[in-house]
């Protein structure tokens, strides 16, 4: 009986480890940028040659800020190599893994983790006034766009959308974003992320006088 109990305990250990949260297991590699009932947004950083312990993520959208090469060791011991390309996006279904940077450049990325149990049903537009849109990745939960806001881009105060948005800056820029009556956000750096909830009134305006590039993860 003791042998059986010990076997059951040992069998449960990998499952418990697999369920570990990335931020708790590897705080040097995962920093929380945003956390609300809809999403958690993480900044991912791995130096060449570094790795982290096994942990889990829910369904998510990965937005790469730079070029890198990563290797993922999965819960079953298998490995997968991935070439990460600058300013691209990929949908990543829920997974348990141990990542490693096996290239010569840092892994620098944003991970938008989806918190709802099921995908939403909101329609995501394929065009917006004053903005060029290119689809980077599509999934049942969200669409990632690379967008270029024209110099005169302006969403007037009171603008709302039927979908959630995570807006990620690709460079230092001058974009004014006021959400739900709060003071406007004007200081954007590469990797800055902001959340605009569905139905939430906001105003956004390009104040730079030149085109500005963002990645927008539009959540259904």
């Amino acid at each position: 009986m003791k042998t059986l109990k010990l076997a059951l305990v040992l069998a449960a250990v990998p499952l418990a480890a697999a369920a570990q949260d990335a931020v708790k297991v590897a705080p040097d590699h995962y920093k929380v940028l945003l956390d609300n009932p809809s999403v958690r947004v993480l900044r991912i950083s791995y130096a060449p040659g570094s790795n982290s312990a096994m942990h889990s993520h829910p369904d998510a959208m990965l937005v790469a800020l730079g070029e890198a090469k990563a290797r993922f060791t999965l819960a079953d011991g298998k490995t997968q190599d991935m070439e990460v390309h600058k300013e691209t996006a990929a949908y990543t279904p829920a997974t348990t893994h141990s990542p490693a940077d096996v290239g010569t450049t840092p892994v620098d990325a944003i991970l938008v983790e989806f918190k709802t149990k099921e995908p939403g049903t909101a329609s995501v537009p394929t065009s917006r006034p004053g903005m060029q849109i290119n689809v980077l990745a599509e999934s049942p939960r969200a669409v990632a766009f690379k967008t270029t806001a024209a110099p005169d881009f302006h969403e007037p105060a009171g603008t709302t959308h039927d979908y959630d948005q995570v807006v990620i800056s690709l460079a230092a820029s001058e974009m004014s974003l006021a959400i739900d009556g709060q003071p406007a956000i004007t200081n954007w750096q590469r990797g800055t992320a902001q959340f605009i909830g569905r139905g939430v009134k906001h105003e956004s305006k390009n104040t730079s006088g030149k085109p500005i590039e963002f990645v927008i993860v539009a959540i259904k």
Side-chain angles (χ1 to χ4, degrees), residues 139-212:
S139 77
R141 290 185 173 274
V143 181
F145 300 101
K146 185 174 182 180
T147 67
T148 303
D152 60 352
F153 172 77
H154 182 209
E155 289 183 313
T159 296
T160 61
H161 300 287
D162 296 331
Y163 50 91
D164 294 333
Q165 298 179 79
V166 177
V167 183
I168 302 165
S169 178
L170 294 179
S173 57
E174 298 176 23
M175 173 73 77
S176 176
L177 174 62
I179 303 172
D180 200 23
Q182 298 299 312
I185 300 156
T186 58
N187 182 22
W188 297 80
Q189 301 300 319
R190 185 171 177 81
T192 297
Q194 295 293 335
F195 179 80
I196 306 173
R198 64 191 70 208
V200 174
K201 295 179 179 180
H202 61 278
E203 179 181 11
S204 58
K205 185 176 182 179
N206 185 347
T207 57
S208 71
K210 57 185 179 182
I212 300 177

Side-chain angles (χ1 to χ4, degrees), residues 39-51:
V39 296
R40 184 174 72 165
V41 180
L42 306 178
R43 182 73 177 258
I44 304 175
S45 302
Y46 281 83
S50 65
N51 57 39

Side-chain angles (χ1 to χ4, degrees), residues 5-14:
K5 288 182 177 179
L6 178 60
L8 291 173
V9 170
L10 292 175
V13 170

Side-chain angles (χ1 to χ4, degrees), residues 106-122:
V107 172
D108 185 14
I110 304 291
L111 189 69
V112 179
E113 296 181 328
F114 305 117
K115 288 189 172 183
T116 59
K117 291 183 179 180
E118 301 294 336
T121 58

